[in-house]
Amino acid sequence: MRRPTPLPAPPSTGAAGDAEAPVEVSIPLPPRRTEPTREPGTESSPESTGDDATDHDLAAPAWAVTAPLAPVVPIEERGAPDPAKPDEGQAPDAAPIGVRDVWAAARARRRALRAEVRRFTVRQRRRRMLWIGVLGALALLVLGTLGAAYSPLFAVERIRVVGTETLNPGDVEAALDGQLGTPLPLIDSSEIKAALVQFPLVQSYTLEARPPHELVVRIVERTPIGAVQSAAGYTLVDAAGVALATTPDPPAGHPVIEATDGIGSPAFTAIGTVYRSLPDDIRAQVTTMRATTANDVTLTLGGTNTDVVWGNADDSAEKALRLASAMAVRPPADVSSYDVSSVDAVVIR
């Protein structure tokens, strides 16, 4: 087998213009082996497959390939690139940036910042909205309640008086008719007080609103302790000396009071204290109570005219118990007087 033909030497460059011309170079390809042609009836011999056949195949120039090559130019001779002509692959100069572009970029940056803030504060905003909703609901509830309470929906349509024993409830209700039609929260207690002052038996009262339309007036009546004789007749008074009623004759069921210096004196105050400490059964038997000072209160039991010497109003509750025990042992029919002025010793005559 023959060696491949070496590449021819490149032509010499005499001038700069000749160096730029393309150079054709022949690149040999490896030989392709072919079988020799045999005629029929002939046999191949070892002598026929020698170097001559190989030389014949390599001598064929048809498979030679030529390709143009770019000239090799030294770096120092290439020169600097032209700034007016941008290199291939390099983007052209950008357009100048205006004020609108700056504003648009700033707006975009603010929008992005707000979006990030919203994203990181979503839980806090939800909690705030929850509290706002709860407080709003409470405010609506309070305002709705107040609006309904002060509206005609809760106006007074009925007044009921309870707790009276001597007074007529109908008279008290008629005196309070001015409150009909007034919303329950707007009931004026001063007007009710002015209406009840005309009833001396009323010691105190309380108001009770029962929605939607009822007003209940609970009255505590004064307890009369007896009648004081005057030029007008007999005036029924309570322990505070308040005149409750005046009649020409002594009122039934109430004792007559004889107090030196009249109502408001120490003697009258002591009589009131003693009378309120008596049990109901003994109180019903008393017909007269008299005292000149606060230390000589005396009671008279009707029917038997038995006197009860009480003394002062000190220890009245204990004295009432001792008197009840003594009357149980010695009834008033057989006794002229009970002396309980000393708690330690009860004297019966």
Side-chain angles (χ1 to χ4, degrees), residues 96-113:
I97 300 176
V99 178
R100 292 184 178 179
D101 298 332
V102 175
W103 287 352
R107 287 194 297 270
R109 182 176 181 275
R110 288 195 296 270
R111 285 195 296 268
L113 182 59

Side-chain angles (χ1 to χ4, degrees), residues 96 117 176 234 272:
V117 171
L176 299 176
Y234 292 89

Side-chain angles (χ1 to χ4, degrees), residues 34 50 79 316 347:
T34 59
S316 292
V347 179

Side-chain angles (χ1 to χ4, degrees), residues 44-121:
S44 60
S45 59
E47 291 83 359
S48 63
T49 60
D51 294 339
D52 293 339
T54 304
D55 293 343
H56 177 74
D57 294 336
L58 294 176
W63 45 267
V65 179
T66 61
L69 298 178
V72 179
V73 182
I75 296 177
E76 59 272 7
E77 296 181 5
R78 295 180 185 177
D82 189 359
K85 298 179 180 180
D87 293 341
E88 232 178 85
Q90 182 180 0
D93 294 342
I97 300 176
V99 178
R100 292 184 178 179
D101 298 332
V102 175
W103 287 352
R107 287 194 297 270
R109 182 176 181 275
R110 288 195 296 270
R111 285 195 296 268
L113 182 59
R114 286 195 296 267
E116 289 297 317
V117 171
R118 286 194 297 270
R119 185 167 68 89
F120 283 103
T121 59

